[in-house]
Amino acid sequence: TTIMAVEFDGGVVIGADSRTTSGFYVANRVTDKLTPVHDRIFCCRSGSAADTQAVADAVAYQLAFHSVELEEPPRVRTAARLFQQSCYRYREELSAGIIVAGWDPRRGGQVYVVPMGGLLLRQPFAVGGSGSSYIYGFLDATFQPGMSRSQCQEFVARALALAMVRDGSSGGVIRLAAITKEGVERTVLAGSDLP
Amino acid sequence: RRRSPMVTGTSVLGLKFGGGVMLAADTVGSYGSLARFRGISRLLRVNGSTALGASGDVADFQHLRQLLEQMVIDEELLGDGHSYSPRALHSWLTRVLYNRRSKINPLWNSIVIGGVYGGESFLGYVDMLGVAYEAPSLATGFGAYLAQPLLRAALEREQLPTREEARELLERCLRVLYYRDARSFNRYELAVVTEKGVELEGPLTLEANWDIAHLV
């Protein structure tokens, strides 16, 4: 798996590959690892598919309840904190590396990372999954703060494409999503569309 | 039932000087050998008289930070004019860490607490086993092997170092650790605690000297 999220002024761009493996067998080559937990908040899942789906479902429920009580859209930070609470409490049992990203009216676009172990950290951009190891160099060399939405999309697509080539556990198509005040725009880059 | 730490921080240094105590730690969270998170703060201002630094598992440190922050809030709500002394916090942390280790579920950290209270400086150490002690200089992790001798040498003199001397010494130690600790980083933070309170400085960057490379 390779997952990634980048903040820009006005929202976030998130991306993931689409390969799920069971040992060496590709169980699903068109997986969707970008999972909504609320209207403008998504999570990128890496690690055990079962674990991350279970936690994401629980967080989605908690957020839905919370946002009814609040009578306004929940903060991205709240979603990230909910993930962190489960991932830290059950750190021995879970195998889950999660990136939470989205847009809220208070703080705009935000990216939070909850890696294995259950710490919580906000970052301008985050990567995760087995494929991320291969692109740290590329990311360090290429990332600039203050990129525009389309620059972020290109940055994410290029990074994921590079990781998918080198990592056997990553591959398939690139799923991208841009989350802003206006909503969520999803795209798929496949085959010859890949950078 | 535990286990191994995931994202970890390396050495934390502590030194008493004439007027207070100083803590230093770099700002990296390592994921095994990968320097994954380069902007993590491992120093914490607990209250007006105490600062704390932690090495080891960062998720556990964040958990501790939440506990401590809540404790400080609860105490302020009491409004009786008292605040936790560095010594009291050290004692509390020792109990917490020792009890966790006794359940074979430790908070995987080594912690340095420093503070000034009632005109007196305090510098204490607690770790995941519940081992706890006080000393005029402290270091966790690699620092215990490389930095502690340098710190102790400076304390052999009659008087405690001045604030400037302490700062230079800690920087020198951090530089040695940057050269020799494979899990270190050249960005760091400093916490200075005096009677006036806690000042957190950073992130600052260390300059490395590679002149000797030309001699080889």
Side-chain angles (χ1 to χ4, degrees):
Chain A
T1 298
T2 319
I3 50 175
M4 189 164 164
V6 191
E7 275 176 26
F8 64 91
D9 184 18
V12 293
V13 171
I14 59 176
D17 74 303
S18 69
R19 181 173 286 189
T20 309
T21 50
S22 181
F24 296 144
Y25 175 63
V26 179
N28 186 351
R29 64 182 174 98
V30 288
T31 324
D32 185 5
K33 303 180 190 181
L34 306 175
T35 310
V37 288
H38 201 80
D39 296 344
R40 301 270 188 291
I41 308 175
F42 270 63
C43 69
C44 310
R45 299 179 294 106
S46 72
S48 154
D51 287 350
T52 54
Q53 283 174 15
V55 174
D57 286 348
V59 171
Y61 161 75
Q62 291 168 326
L63 269 182
F65 197 96
H66 173 66
S67 104
V68 168
E69 289 181 315
L70 226 52
E71 291 183 352
E72 70 179 42
R75 296 195 222 185
V76 185
R77 196 175 86 174
T78 309
R81 177 62 71 188
L82 286 170
F83 270 104
Q84 189 252 353
Q85 283 176 339
S86 298
C87 292
Y88 179 68
R89 182 183 286 256
Y90 299 109
R91 61 184 283 173
E92 298 311 302
E93 290 85 355
L94 291 175
S95 171
I98 292 174
I99 301 176
V100 184
W103 181 93
D104 66 38
R106 282 177 195 257
R107 297 261 173 97
Q110 298 145 73
V111 171
Y112 295 88
V113 60
V114 184
M116 303 243 271
L119 71 83
L120 172 63
L121 191 63
R122 182 176 175 190
Q123 298 187 286
F125 77 94
V127 285
S130 55
S132 66
S133 315
Y134 304 99
I135 50 175
Y136 276 102
F138 171 74
L139 296 170
D140 286 343
T142 316
F143 175 73
Q144 311 269 14
M147 291 191 284
S148 69
R149 171 181 165 155
S150 54
Q151 285 175 316
C152 285
Q153 281 171 309
E154 200 204 308
F155 177 56
V156 172
R158 281 178 75 199
L160 289 177
L162 289 167
M164 283 155 70
V165 165
R166 288 295 189 173
D167 179 30
S169 306
S170 301
V173 304
I174 296 181
R175 293 196 189 278
L176 289 174
I179 309 173
T180 60
K181 179 170 160 194
E182 277 73 52
V184 180
E185 211 185 277
R186 301 200 62 155
T187 43
V188 178
L189 294 174
S192 50
D193 306 323
L194 285 165
Chain B
R1 299 268 123 180
R2 245 222 256 169
R3 31 116 167 160
S4 50
M6 286 288 178
V7 179
T8 56
T10 186
S11 325
V12 177
L13 309 177
L15 183 62
K16 277 194 193 176
F17 66 91
V21 297
M22 207 178 281
L23 304 183
D26 67 21
T27 63
V28 68
S30 303
Y31 190 62
S33 63
L34 172 63
R36 191 167 173 193
F37 302 111
R38 296 176 296 179
I40 292 203
S41 176
R42 300 190 292 115
L43 296 179
L44 171 67
R45 177 192 177 279
V46 182
N47 59 24
S49 60
T50 322
L52 173 156
S55 63
D57 190 86
V58 179
D60 285 341
F61 169 61
Q62 288 188 345
H63 173 71
L64 263 178
R65 180 165 59 198
Q66 284 191 299
L67 288 182
L68 282 165
E69 280 173 356
Q70 191 57 52
M71 259 172 71
V72 169
I73 290 174
D74 291 342
E75 205 200 10
E76 274 169 29
L77 290 178
L78 283 175
D80 59 3
H82 288 293
S83 65
Y84 289 115
S85 69
R87 193 175 294 277
L89 285 162
H90 179 249
S91 182
W92 176 83
L93 262 181
T94 310
R95 293 296 99 230
V96 169
L97 295 186
Y98 181 72
N99 277 110
R100 285 285 301 254
R101 85 105 217 206
S102 300
K103 293 189 280 192
I104 323 289
N105 182 204
L107 285 165
W108 207 288
N109 298 109
S110 299
I111 296 167
V112 173
I113 291 203
V116 179
Y117 191 82
E120 260 185 45
S121 306
F122 174 87
L123 193 60
Y125 170 96
V126 205
D127 72 10
M128 60 186 269
L129 301 176
V131 171
Y133 50 84
E134 284 173 57
S137 70
L138 291 172
T140 67
F142 242 73
Y145 300 99
L146 293 178
Q148 189 68 293
L150 296 172
L151 298 173
R152 283 178 179 166
L155 289 167
E156 260 162 27
R157 280 177 275 141
E158 284 280 329
Q159 281 174 322
L160 289 172
T162 65
R163 181 175 169 150
E164 269 317 302
E165 285 171 346
R167 191 207 179 92
E168 276 172 27
L169 180 56
L170 283 180
E171 277 181 19
R172 184 170 153 235
C173 289
L174 284 171
R175 193 171 303 117
V176 171
L177 287 171
Y178 178 57
Y179 293 147
R180 298 295 184 172
D181 179 0
R183 302 283 182 269
S184 61
F185 197 59
N186 64 350
R187 236 184 299 142
Y188 68 99
E189 283 178 329
L190 224 49
V192 185
V193 194
T194 57
E195 285 207 327
K196 292 202 212 102
V198 179
E199 290 165 53
L200 266 180
E201 287 176 49
L204 307 156
T205 311
L206 280 169
E207 288 304 317
N209 185 333
W210 297 101
D211 288 350
I212 54 167
H214 303 290
L215 297 171
V216 175

